[in-house]
Amino acid sequence: MRASVESALYETASSLGNLADAERYHEPISVDAADSDALLSGLERMILIRVVEEKIGDMVSQGVVKCPCHLAIGQEAPAVGVAGYVKKGDRVFGAHRSHGHFLALGGSPHGLLAEVQGKDTGVSRGMGGSMHLIDIENNLFGTVPIVGATIPIAVGAGIAAKMDGNGGMAVSFFGDGATEEGAFHESMNLAAVMKAPVLFVCENNFFSSHLHIALRQPDTSVCRYAEAHRVGWARADGNDLAAVRAVTKEAVDAIRAGEGPRFLELVTYRWRGHVGHREDEDVGVKRKDDLTRWKLRDPISRLAVALESLGVLDRPQLKRFWTDAHTVVDEAWNIATHDGYPPAKALLSRVYSGTMARKT
Amino acid sequence: MRASVESALYETASSLGNLADAERYHEPISVDAADSDALLSGLERMILIRVVEEKIGDMVSQGVVKCPCHLAIGQEAPAVGVAGYVKKGDRVFGAHRSHGHFLALGGSPHGLLAEVQGKDTGVSRGMGGSMHLIDIENNLFGTVPIVGATIPIAVGAGIAAKMDGNGGMAVSFFGDGATEEGAFHESMNLAAVMKAPVLFVCENNFFSSHLHIALRQPDTSVCRYAEAHRVGWARADGNDLAAVRAVTKEAVDAIRAGEGPRFLELVTYRWRGHVGHREDEDVGVKRKDDLTRWKLRDPISRLAVALESLGVLDRPQLKRFWTDAHTVVDEAWNIATHDGYPPAKALLSRVYSGTMARKT
Amino acid sequence: MTTGYGAAIRDGFEYLLANHPSVFTIGQGLWSPWYVGNSMTDLDSQFGRERVIDTPVSELGTTGAALGAALCGYRPIVIHPRVDFMLLAVDQIVTQAAKWRSMFGGQVAAPITVRAIINRGGEQGAQHSQSLQSWFAHIPGLRVVMPSTPTDARDLLIASVLSDDPVLYLDDRWLYGLEEELPPIEERNLAQEGPRLTRTGQDLTLVGSSYSAHLCREAAARLSANGIECDVIDIRVLNPFDASLIIKSAKKTGRVLAVDGDWRTCGMAAEVIASIVEAVDPRVMRASPRRVTLPDAPAPTSNPLERSYYPTVDYIVQRALALVGAQQETFE
Amino acid sequence: MTTGYGAAIRDGFEYLLANHPSVFTIGQGLWSPWYVGNSMTDLDSQFGRERVIDTPVSELGTTGAALGAALCGYRPIVIHPRVDFMLLAVDQIVTQAAKWRSMFGGQVAAPITVRAIINRGGEQGAQHSQSLQSWFAHIPGLRVVMPSTPTDARDLLIASVLSDDPVLYLDDRWLYGLEEELPPIEERNLAQEGPRLTRTGQDLTLVGSSYSAHLCREAAARLSANGIECDVIDIRVLNPFDASLIIKSAKKTGRVLAVDGDWRTCGMAAEVIASIVEAVDPRVMRASPRRVTLPDAPAPTSNPLERSYYPTVDYIVQRALALVGAQQETFE
Ligand SMILES: Cc1ncc(C[n+]2csc(CCOP(=O)(O)OP(=O)(O)O)c2C)c(N)n1
Ligand SMILES: Cc1ncc(C[n+]2csc(CCOP(=O)(O)OP(=O)(O)O)c2C)c(N)n1
Ligand SMILES: [Mg+2]
Ligand SMILES: [Mg+2]
C-alpha cells in the first residue's frame, strides 16, 4: 500500500508463555549468594505472612472474623520482593488483597488481626477491616477494595515524590483485573507524560474473582499495556523471590534516577478462593487442576530448598521461622481478641476534621 | 537475567514519523482510476461539508448561531472516506466535532442548519444543537460532546450487530484526546474480547483543545493502544481520501467477515480553533506555523488536482461542485431561519416515554 | 409454594430471556456461582453465554455498551453487583442514558435497564455499602425502581426492561430472605407504576422504599399491637416521583415518618417531606413530618458501629411512638 | 477598585500559590487562555508549569492523582472546567476522598480541593449544563462550598484548600461578571464557615446558594421596592449542612422560599424545607415553605426553552409575592 500507510494484525494469544504453564517452575529457585541475607529475611517474612493469613482463614471459617477477607496465600513473593526496595519516604498503595503488602512492609500482626476483628486497636481503628489497611510509619499509605482506585492515587503520590525531590517513589500494587479499569490506563499515561516516579506492580494471578484472564482480555500478559503507554516494563515469575527482587531493583534504580515510571508484571496464583478461606476449586477455568500444580510453584518451599542448598539455611532454623511465626501470630490474635471496639461516637467524630457529622 | 524474566524500555517518541511533518504530503494524492467514481462523489461531498461548515462559522462570528460549534474544516476526508463503506444497518457514532460525519453519511444540510439555530425542524428538534446530532435513516445513531462517551456506546452497537448476525457493524469516530479517557481503553478491550464488529476511527489532529498531543501522551501515534488491546490497526494520511478509503475498505472487510474490531488512525489537522469560527493561531504548540503548512495538505484541493490529472474532473465541474454546494447551503439556511422553535412543552414532554416530567 | 426475593428476581430474568429475544444481560459475575447471590443462578447455561454475558472489570465500558445495544433495538440489563462499583459508570447512566431521549428531541428511546445491588452490612465498610437512591432519583430522565417484595422484585424488573426509558433497578441483598407466594406474571407498564399503600391505618403514615419499606411494614405490625394503626406506603418508583398517594395519606393521618436507608442531607426522606409540605395544609397535620435515615457518615466496619448505623424496626417504632405521642410537639 | 468574581478566584489561587508551597493545581485547561474564563489566567507563567499543571483528558486519573498528592502532604486543587466532566471522577471524589479519613479511623487527612465550574446556558445543552450540588451535599465527608460573591469566591477558595478535609468548590460562570471591592485576604477556617444572612427583613426568608443566592438578593431588592422585606440567606457551605440560621430566620419571618439552580427531586431546596419542618413549630409559620428549582428535565439548547428552564429574578419575585399574599394559602 501507499507510503503513508502502516498496519498490523493480531491474534488472541498468550504472551505469558511458560510462566502460564502450571507444570513449570516447580524446581527450587536459583539464588545468588550475594543476596542471601535479604532472601533469608524475605523467607522469614513470607512465612509470617503465610501464617497470619492461615490464621485469618481459620477465623473466617469459624465465623469469628466477619469482614470480607481476600487471602494472598501463595502470592507472598511479590509483596516481600518489592517491599525490600521500599525506603523511608516512599508511599505504597494496595487493594483488596493486601494483608501481604501490609506485613511485608513491616506492619504489626496485632494491628492487622485487631482490624479484621473490628477493634479500636486495629490499624484503621476498626473502621476499615481487612480491605482498608494503613500504616504510615511503614510507608503503607492505604489499601482499598474498589478495583483500580489506588492506581491514580499512587500516581499522585509519585507526583508528590517528584515535587519533594528527594528520590522517593510511589508503589502501586494491583491485580490483573485492575488493568481492565479505565483508571489504570489513565494513570499509566499520566505517570508516563509527567515522568512520575511510580512503580506499578501487577500481580497477575490469572483471575479476577471467578473469571480467568483469557475470558476477560485478548492476551494473558499485561505488559503490552506498559508498552502502549511507553512505560519500561519487566515480567517475572512472581513466585520466585530472587527474580522479583532482581526486576524490582532494576526498576527502582531507574525510578529513583529520575527516569519516570516502571511497570512489573509478576506472575503468580492464589491458593484460596477470591474471598474467604475456601479453596473454591470448582470456580473458574481449570482451577482445580491448576491449583494442585501451582502449589508446587510455592514461593516459600522453592526458596527454602534453594537456601538450604546454598548452605545459608538449615532445617532447625527453617522450623524456627515457622514456630516463631505461629507464636507471634497466636499472641497477637489473643491480645486483639481482648481489645475493645471503637466507641459509639467514632461513627460521627471521624468523618471530618473539627466538625461532628450530622446525625440521623 | 534469568529465563523467567523479560523486559523492555521506551523513549518518548513520535511514531507518527513523516505524517506529523507539516511540510510533507502537499502534493496531489495518488488515485486509482478504478476508484474514480467514488473519489469524485467523495470530492463533491467534502466540498459540501466545507461549505456548510464555513457557513456555520460565519453565522457564529455574526452571533446568529449561539450554540458551541466545533468545526472540522480541513478534516473532511476521514468522515467521507469512512462513510463510503457504511451500509444500511450499520450504526455510526460521533462526538463534539461531527458536522462532517453527519453530512458525509448523507445528512440533510437543512436539518443541521436548523439544529444549530435551535429550531424544532432540526435533526434533534432543537434540543441538541451542534453537539448532538442524530440521523437514524442515514445510520448516524448519535453524536455527543462528552469526550469518549460514544466509544463504549459504539461497542454496544457492535455487540447488537453481532447478535443481529447480518454483517452489520458499528463505527466510532473520536479524536486523539479521547484516547486518554479510560472509557476508550475499556471499550477496546471489551470489543477485542467479545470480537465485536466495531470500526474505531481516531482522527488524530494533534490537539485536544489547546494542548498538543506531545504534552498529553508519551508518543504522538495512538496505534500503540490498538496493539496493546490486540486490535488490528492501520494508520494513514487522513487528508488523503484515497488512502482513507483503502484502509477503511480493508478494515471493514475484515470486520464484516467476523474477525472482530479494527482500529484506524487518520492523521489530520483542524484549520479552525477548538470551538468557534476563529483560527486561534496563538493557541498551542507551533499552531501558527503549522496551520499555514497544513493548509497545503488540503484534502480537497489535493484530491481535485489528482482527479483533474486523471482526466475525470475538469475545472467547470469542480466549480459547479462549489457553486452547487453554496446554493444548497444558502437555501437550507434560509429555510431554517424561518422555521419555528420547539414548543414550550417540549421541555417536559421529551424526557420520558408516556410520562411528563415534574415541573419546578 | 413461596418464592424468595432473590429467586423472584431470577424468575423475572427467566421470563424476560424466554419471552423477549431482544433481552440480554451483561455485567460482572454472571458466570459465577455466588457473585449476585441466587438472583441469576445458571441463567448462562439456560440461555447461553451470548445472552448472559460476564465481563471484564470495566463498569463504564460495560454500561456504555449496554446503552449502545439499547439504541439498536435490544433491551439489555447491565448488572452491577454493588452500587459502589456502578459509580464508575455514572457518566453513561446520568449524562448519556438519562438524557439521550431528551437531547435528541424525544425521537429515540434508550431502553437500558441498569440493575445494581445494594449490599450492606457484614463489616464490609464504607466502599461496599452505598445505596444512593437519592442521587439517582434526582436525575431527570432516569426511572428509579426499588422493589420491596418478591412479587415486585420480579414484576418491576420485567416492567423496567420493557419500559422504553432507561431504568435504574435497585435490589437489596437484605431482602433476599423474604418469601411470598407469587401471582402469575403480568407485564406491567412502568409508567403506570408508583407508590403503593400496603397497609392502612388512621394514626400515622410510614413511607419507605425497598428494605426501608420492609422495616416500615414490620414497624407497623408492632405498632398495631400497641393500638397504633399505620398507613404504610411503599414508594416503589422513586423517579419520576409521584407524591400524590403520600399526600393523600398525610391528609388522612396527619402524621408522617419518612424512612430511608440512604443518607439524610438531600435524601429521599427530605423529598417526601418537602412534597408533603408543598401540598398539605399544615392545619390538617397533627405533627410535623419526620425522617429516619442513615446518619451523615460513611459506613463503618466494626460490628457494634454497624448496629447503630442502620435504621432498625425498634428505632422506627420508637420514633413513631414519639410522633404519635406528640399531640403537641415541643420545639426549642 | 472593584474586582470581578473570576478575577477574585484568580486572586485566591495567587495567594495560595504564593504563600503555601504545598499548594499546586492540576486539571484540564490550565495552560489555555480561555478554558476556565479569567479565573486562572497566566498562573502557569507566574508560578511555573510544575505547580500549575495541564493534563490529558483523564478526569478520573487526574482527580485520583490529586488525592494521592493530598495524602502526601500537598494541598492540590484539581480543576474540572465543567461539573459534567467531573462526573467521570465520582469514584475518586465520593468513594475515595470523602471516605478516606473515616475508613482509616480518622487518622489521616485527605485535603484535596476539587474545583468544578458550573457552566450553563449559551445553548450548550444537556451534557454541558449540570450543577448537581445536591448530589455532593448528600455525601458525608465531603465539604461542599458554593460562593456567591467575589469575596467569598476568593476567601472560601483559600479556606477550602487550607481545610484538612476534601472539599468540592463549585463556582458558576454566570457570576463572573459580579464585581465588588475586596477586603484584605483573611485565612478562614472552613469548619467555622456556613450560611450567612446577607439582608434582613420581616416578611419572608429567601434561601439560596451561588447564583441562586445572587438571584435571591436581586429579588429581595425588587420586593423591597414593593414594601416586602426579606431575610436573604446565602448557604455558602452546603455540606456539612448547618440549618440553624435558616431555622432562626424561618421562625422570625414565618415564610421561606428555597431557591436552587439544581433539579427539584431530592435537591438542596428539599433539604432546606425538610430541615425547617423538623425544627420549627408549624404554628409559627405564616405559610408553608416553598421551593424554586429547575424543572426535572435535562437542559435544552434552543434559546426559547433555555429562557423558561432557568429560574429568574422575575419568577422568584412572583413566587415570593404569592407566598406573602397567601396569608391563608389554599390547598386542593
Ligand atoms: C470497581 C470494582 N469493580 C468490581 C469489584 C469487585 N471485585 C473485587 S476484587 C475483584 C477482582 C479483581 O481482580 P484482580 O485485580 O486481578 O485482583 P485479585 O483479586 O486477583 O487479587 C473484583 C472484580 C470491585 N471491588 N471494584
Ligand atoms: C469528559 C470530557 N472532558 C473534557 C471535555 C472538554 N473537551 C471538549 S472537546 C475536547 C478535546 C478533545 O480532543 P479530541 O478528542 O482530540 O477531539 P478534537 O477536538 O481534536 O476533534 C475537550 C477536552 C469534554 N467535553 N468531555
Ligand atoms: Mg487477579
Ligand atoms: Mg484532537
Side-chain angles (χ1 to χ4, degrees):
Chain A
M1 218 186 261
R2 59 194 67 215
S4 63
V5 169
E6 256 189 89
S7 65
L9 290 180
Y10 295 95
E11 281 299 304
T12 302
S14 173
S15 314
L16 278 185
N18 289 343
L19 283 172
D21 183 350
E23 295 289 8
R24 299 196 185 235
Y25 304 107
H26 296 174
E27 64 282 2
I29 69 170
S30 74
V31 292
D32 182 345
D35 203 26
S36 64
D37 282 0
L39 290 170
L40 205 57
S41 69
L43 176 67
E44 192 176 2
R45 191 57 59 96
M46 290 202 293
I47 289 170
L48 177 70
I49 295 173
R50 178 75 55 94
V51 171
V52 169
E53 292 221 294
E54 282 176 342
K55 178 80 185 179
I56 293 175
D58 290 349
M59 294 299 115
V60 169
S61 80
Q62 291 176 29
V64 177
V65 166
K66 295 191 195 72
C67 67
C69 292
H70 302 78
L71 303 176
I73 293 173
Q75 296 186 200
E76 294 85 357
V80 171
V82 171
Y85 294 94
V86 170
K87 284 200 215 160
K88 199 82 218 157
D90 293 340
R91 283 96 173 206
V92 182
F93 295 86
H96 55 289
R97 196 182 303 288
S98 283
H99 299 162
H101 308 138
F102 170 84
L103 294 166
L105 289 164
S108 129
H110 168 260
L112 173 59
L113 294 170
E115 188 58 40
V116 299
Q117 293 183 65
K119 298 301 178 75
D120 201 35
T121 52
V123 289
S124 297
R125 306 194 62 192
M127 305 299 285
S130 160
M131 304 194 295
H132 304 89
L133 304 176
I134 193 163
D135 186 2
I136 301 286
E137 262 172 45
N138 286 304
N139 308 303
L140 184 65
F141 271 57
T143 74
V144 305
I146 292 295
V147 168
T150 47
I151 307 177
I153 293 173
V155 172
I159 294 170
K162 192 175 175 184
M163 290 180 170
D164 290 344
N166 43 31
M169 66 167 182
V171 179
S172 176
F173 281 105
F174 52 90
D176 48 296
T179 64
E180 294 150 17
E181 289 286 0
F184 163 71
H185 291 281
E186 295 187 6
S187 300
M188 291 282 281
N189 182 54
L190 194 61
V193 85
M194 293 189 67
K195 278 190 171 289
V198 181
L199 180 64
F200 295 97
V201 183
C202 181
E203 295 178 59
N204 184 348
N205 64 4
F206 299 89
F207 282 89
S208 167
S209 168
H210 58 292
L211 217 57
H212 192 274
I213 190 168
L215 296 171
R216 298 179 283 114
Q217 299 188 23
D219 195 340
T220 51
S221 170
V222 298
C223 287
R224 57 206 156 88
Y225 301 131
E227 270 177 50
H229 294 294
R230 301 297 184 233
V231 172
W233 58 266
R235 177 167 51 220
D237 174 358
N239 286 11
D240 173 341
L241 184 63
V244 172
R245 284 180 55 79
V247 293
T248 305
K249 181 177 178 349
E250 208 173 297
V252 169
D253 285 349
I255 292 169
R256 296 205 198 278
E259 291 179 25
R262 286 289 184 279
F263 180 93
L264 302 181
E265 175 174 27
L266 304 175
V267 181
T268 184
Y269 201 84
R270 62 168 156 70
W271 294 9
R272 300 297 177 97
H274 169 64
V275 61
H277 64 287
R278 292 197 183 79
E279 294 199 336
D280 285 344
E281 291 186 338
D282 52 345
V283 171
V285 177
K286 288 198 304 167
R287 166 130 179 113
K288 185 168 184 176
D289 297 352
D290 279 350
L291 181 54
T292 322
R293 293 177 296 172
W294 270 97
K295 285 189 175 175
L296 301 175
R297 205 189 279 181
D298 179 10
I300 293 181
S301 63
R302 283 166 73 212
L303 174 59
V305 176
L307 292 175
E308 283 181 66
S309 310
L310 201 66
V312 300
L313 176 72
D314 58 17
R315 278 290 148 102
Q317 192 180 357
L318 179 60
K319 216 179 150 197
R320 220 164 33 244
F321 283 173
W322 286 99
T323 51
D324 285 359
H326 277 287
T327 311
V328 164
V329 169
D330 289 340
E331 202 170 306
W333 174 264
N334 286 334
I335 295 173
T337 303
H338 295 100
D339 290 342
Y341 290 103
K345 76 165 182 1
L347 212 48
L348 302 181
S349 67
R350 294 173 178 176
V351 181
Y352 298 99
S353 66
T355 312
M356 290 291 280
R358 206 176 178 208
K359 279 195 295 222
T360 175
Chain B
M1 216 184 263
R2 59 193 68 217
S4 64
V5 169
E6 257 189 86
S7 66
L9 290 179
Y10 295 96
E11 282 299 306
T12 302
S14 175
S15 314
L16 278 185
N18 288 343
L19 283 172
D21 183 351
E23 294 290 6
R24 299 196 184 235
Y25 304 106
H26 296 175
E27 64 282 1
I29 69 171
S30 76
V31 292
D32 183 345
D35 203 26
S36 63
D37 282 359
L39 291 170
L40 204 58
S41 69
L43 176 67
E44 192 177 0
R45 189 60 57 98
M46 290 203 292
I47 289 171
L48 177 70
I49 296 173
R50 178 75 55 92
V51 172
V52 169
E53 291 222 293
E54 283 176 341
K55 179 79 186 184
I56 293 175
D58 291 350
M59 293 300 115
V60 169
S61 81
Q62 291 175 29
V64 177
V65 166
K66 294 190 194 72
C67 66
C69 292
H70 302 78
L71 302 177
I73 293 173
Q75 297 186 198
E76 294 85 357
V80 171
V82 171
Y85 293 94
V86 170
K87 283 200 213 160
K88 199 82 216 154
D90 293 338
R91 283 97 174 204
V92 182
F93 294 87
H96 55 288
R97 195 179 306 285
S98 283
H99 300 163
H101 307 139
F102 170 84
L103 294 166
L105 288 165
S108 126
H110 168 261
L112 173 59
L113 294 170
E115 189 57 42
V116 299
Q117 294 183 65
K119 298 301 179 76
D120 201 34
T121 51
V123 289
S124 296
R125 307 194 59 192
M127 305 299 285
S130 159
M131 304 194 294
H132 305 88
L133 304 176
I134 194 164
D135 186 2
I136 301 286
E137 262 172 47
N138 286 304
N139 308 302
L140 184 65
F141 270 58
T143 75
V144 305
I146 293 296
V147 169
T150 46
I151 307 178
I153 293 173
V155 172
I159 293 170
K162 194 175 173 185
M163 289 180 170
D164 289 343
N166 42 31
M169 64 168 183
V171 179
S172 176
F173 282 105
F174 52 90
D176 49 296
T179 64
E180 293 151 17
E181 289 286 359
F184 163 70
H185 291 281
E186 295 187 4
S187 301
M188 291 283 280
N189 182 55
L190 194 61
V193 85
M194 293 189 67
K195 279 192 172 288
V198 182
L199 180 65
F200 295 97
V201 183
C202 181
E203 295 177 58
N204 184 349
N205 63 6
F206 298 89
F207 282 90
S208 168
S209 167
H210 59 292
L211 217 57
H212 193 273
I213 190 167
L215 297 170
R216 298 179 282 115
Q217 300 188 23
D219 194 341
T220 50
S221 169
V222 297
C223 287
R224 56 206 157 86
Y225 301 131
E227 269 175 52
H229 294 293
R230 302 295 186 236
V231 172
W233 58 265
R235 178 167 51 222
D237 174 358
N239 287 9
D240 173 342
L241 184 63
V244 172
R245 284 181 55 80
V247 293
T248 304
K249 179 176 181 352
E250 207 171 300
V252 169
D253 285 348
I255 292 169
R256 295 204 199 276
E259 291 179 24
R262 285 290 184 280
F263 181 92
L264 302 180
E265 176 174 27
L266 305 175
V267 181
T268 183
Y269 202 84
R270 61 167 158 70
W271 293 8
R272 301 297 177 96
H274 169 64
V275 61
H277 64 286
R278 290 197 184 78
E279 294 200 335
D280 285 344
E281 291 188 339
D282 54 344
V283 171
V285 177
K286 288 199 306 169
R287 165 130 179 114
K288 185 169 182 174
D289 295 353
D290 279 351
L291 181 55
T292 322
R293 291 177 299 170
W294 270 95
K295 286 190 174 173
L296 300 175
R297 206 191 278 180
D298 179 10
I300 293 180
S301 63
R302 282 167 74 214
L303 174 59
V305 176
L307 292 175
E308 282 182 67
S309 311
L310 202 67
V312 300
L313 176 72
D314 59 18
R315 278 291 148 102
Q317 191 180 358
L318 178 60
K319 215 177 150 199
R320 217 162 36 240
F321 283 171
W322 287 100
T323 48
D324 285 357
H326 277 286
T327 309
V328 165
V329 169
D330 289 341
E331 199 169 310
W333 174 263
N334 286 336
I335 294 173
T337 304
H338 294 99
D339 289 341
Y341 291 103
K345 76 165 181 4
L347 212 48
L348 303 181
S349 67
R350 293 173 179 177
V351 180
Y352 298 99
S353 66
T355 312
M356 289 290 279
R358 208 174 174 208
K359 280 195 296 220
T360 175
Chain C
M1 203 197 66
T2 64
T3 307
Y5 184 96
I9 295 175
R10 196 196 176 287
D11 285 357
F13 276 107
E14 185 170 310
Y15 175 85
L16 286 161
L17 287 161
N19 292 284
H20 293 277
S22 59
V23 171
F24 70 93
T25 177
I26 181 168
Q28 284 169 55
L30 272 51
W31 300 343
S32 153
W34 76 76
Y35 217 129
V36 289
N38 65 339
S39 70
M40 300 183 77
T41 311
D42 290 336
L43 287 174
D44 58 335
S45 49
Q46 192 177 345
F47 295 100
R49 292 189 163 187
E50 289 72 37
R51 293 180 70 202
V52 179
I53 306 168
D54 207 328
T55 68
V57 196
S58 307
E59 288 77 11
L60 183 59
T62 311
T63 308
L67 172 56
L71 301 176
C72 299
Y74 287 85
R75 296 195 171 263
I77 307 151
V78 61
I79 309 293
H80 295 291
R82 279 176 197 279
V83 171
D84 312 79
F85 309 158
M86 179 179 65
L87 297 190
L88 286 156
V90 148
D91 176 71
Q92 286 293 334
I93 300 169
V94 167
T95 309
Q96 312 305 326
K99 297 174 176 47
W100 203 270
R101 172 184 290 271
S102 168
M103 73 194 174
F104 292 113
Q107 304 173 106
V108 287
I112 179 183
T113 298
V114 181
R115 174 194 170 205
I117 305 178
I118 300 171
N119 189 349
R120 303 178 290 178
E123 306 194 17
Q124 300 180 102
Q127 298 196 329
H128 277 51
S129 307
Q130 297 178 90
S131 61
L132 286 174
Q133 58 269 26
S134 315
W135 262 32
F136 296 95
H138 184 62
I139 301 302
L142 184 67
R143 297 189 186 269
V144 178
V145 168
M146 292 182 88
S148 82
T149 66
T151 306
D152 267 357
R154 183 195 66 188
D155 290 351
L156 290 182
L157 177 67
I158 295 170
S160 296
V161 175
L162 300 182
S163 163
D164 277 345
D165 296 318
V167 180
L168 175 65
Y169 171 101
L170 292 167
D171 56 286
D172 190 320
R173 289 286 278 263
W174 278 350
L175 291 168
Y176 278 38
L178 224 62
E179 300 258 341
E180 72 182 355
E181 212 150 313
L182 298 187
I185 287 174
E186 234 188 283
E187 289 191 2
R188 291 157 176 279
N189 177 353
L190 187 61
Q192 306 300 323
E193 298 295 317
R196 180 180 286 169
L197 193 65
T198 64
R199 183 187 182 109
T200 57
Q202 304 299 324
D203 303 318
L204 173 66
T205 304
L206 297 174
V207 184
S209 53
S210 188
Y211 185 71
S212 297
H214 171 69
L215 293 177
C216 288
R217 288 193 296 264
E218 300 278 303
R222 290 255 300 275
L223 288 162
S224 177
N226 285 287
I228 293 166
E229 299 301 337
C230 299
D231 265 9
V232 175
I233 294 175
D234 180 353
I235 301 180
R236 298 172 78 242
V237 178
L238 283 75
N239 199 44
F241 181 51
D242 178 359
S244 54
L245 190 67
I246 298 169
I247 290 164
K248 204 171 141 199
S249 173
K251 287 178 181 166
K252 181 181 81 173
T253 67
R255 302 185 187 97
V256 179
L257 193 61
V259 183
D260 190 42
D262 195 357
W263 290 301
R264 171 181 164 118
T265 304
C266 296
M268 195 67 209
E271 179 58 41
V272 167
I273 293 181
S275 295
I276 292 169
V277 166
E278 287 175 320
V280 181
D281 187 336
R283 289 163 303 179
V284 312
M285 295 302 287
R286 296 191 280 175
S288 290
R290 288 284 179 272
R291 51 185 162 171
V292 171
T293 66
L294 297 183
D296 278 349
T301 49
S302 195
N303 181 271
L305 295 183
E306 268 193 342
R307 272 184 281 127
S308 70
Y309 184 71
Y310 294 105
T312 58
V313 174
D314 276 352
Y315 183 69
I316 295 169
V317 167
Q318 177 196 320
R319 292 288 303 275
L321 289 172
L323 200 53
V324 174
Q327 221 60 309
Q328 224 51 281
E329 291 178 288
T330 48
F331 294 87
E332 301 132 39
Chain D
M1 201 199 67
T2 62
T3 307
Y5 184 97
I9 295 175
R10 195 195 177 287
D11 285 358
F13 277 107
E14 184 169 311
Y15 176 85
L16 286 162
L17 287 161
N19 293 283
H20 294 276
S22 60
V23 171
F24 71 92
T25 178
I26 182 168
Q28 284 170 55
L30 272 52
W31 300 344
S32 153
W34 78 76
Y35 216 130
V36 290
N38 65 339
S39 70
M40 300 183 78
T41 311
D42 289 336
L43 287 174
D44 59 334
S45 50
Q46 191 176 348
F47 294 100
R49 291 189 165 188
E50 289 73 36
R51 293 180 70 204
V52 179
I53 306 168
D54 207 328
T55 69
V57 196
S58 308
E59 288 77 12
L60 182 59
T62 311
T63 308
L67 172 57
L71 301 176
C72 299
Y74 286 84
R75 295 195 172 264
I77 307 149
V78 61
I79 310 294
H80 295 291
R82 279 176 199 280
V83 171
D84 312 78
F85 309 160
M86 179 178 66
L87 297 191
L88 286 155
V90 149
D91 177 71
Q92 286 293 332
I93 300 168
V94 167
T95 308
Q96 311 305 326
K99 298 174 175 47
W100 203 270
R101 174 184 289 270
S102 169
M103 72 193 173
F104 292 113
Q107 303 172 107
V108 288
I112 178 182
T113 298
V114 181
R115 175 194 171 206
I117 305 177
I118 300 170
N119 191 347
R120 302 178 290 180
E123 306 193 19
Q124 300 180 100
Q127 299 197 327
H128 277 52
S129 306
Q130 297 177 90
S131 61
L132 285 175
Q133 57 269 25
S134 314
W135 262 31
F136 296 95
H138 183 63
I139 301 301
L142 184 67
R143 294 187 187 272
V144 178
V145 168
M146 292 182 89
S148 82
T149 66
T151 306
D152 267 358
R154 183 195 65 187
D155 291 352
L156 289 182
L157 177 68
I158 296 169
S160 297
V161 174
L162 299 182
S163 164
D164 277 344
D165 296 317
V167 180
L168 175 66
Y169 172 101
L170 291 168
D171 56 285
D172 190 321
R173 289 285 279 263
W174 278 350
L175 290 167
Y176 278 39
L178 224 62
E179 301 257 342
E180 73 183 353
E181 212 150 313
L182 299 187
I185 287 174
E186 236 187 284
E187 289 190 3
R188 293 156 176 277
N189 177 353
L190 187 59
Q192 308 298 326
E193 299 295 318
R196 182 180 283 169
L197 193 65
T198 64
R199 182 187 183 107
T200 57
Q202 305 298 324
D203 303 318
L204 172 68
T205 303
L206 296 175
V207 184
S209 53
S210 188
Y211 185 71
S212 296
H214 171 69
L215 293 178
C216 288
R217 289 193 296 266
E218 301 278 303
R222 288 256 300 276
L223 288 162
S224 177
N226 285 286
I228 294 166
E229 297 301 336
C230 299
D231 266 9
V232 175
I233 295 177
D234 180 353
I235 301 179
R236 297 172 79 241
V237 178
L238 283 76
N239 197 46
F241 180 52
D242 178 358
S244 55
L245 191 68
I246 296 169
I247 290 164
K248 204 171 140 197
S249 174
K251 287 177 181 167
K252 182 181 82 174
T253 66
R255 300 187 189 98
V256 179
L257 193 61
V259 183
D260 191 42
D262 195 356
W263 290 299
R264 170 183 165 119
T265 304
C266 295
M268 196 67 208
E271 180 57 41
V272 167
I273 292 179
S275 294
I276 292 169
V277 166
E278 287 174 319
V280 181
D281 186 335
R283 289 163 305 179
V284 312
M285 296 301 288
R286 296 191 280 175
S288 290
R290 287 284 179 273
R291 49 185 163 172
V292 170
T293 66
L294 297 183
D296 278 349
T301 49
S302 194
N303 181 272
L305 294 183
E306 269 194 340
R307 273 185 281 127
S308 71
Y309 184 72
Y310 293 106
T312 58
V313 174
D314 275 353
Y315 183 68
I316 295 169
V317 167
Q318 175 196 323
R319 292 289 302 273
L321 289 173
L323 200 52
V324 173
Q327 220 61 310
Q328 224 53 279
E329 288 179 287
T330 46
F331 293 86
E332 301 132 40

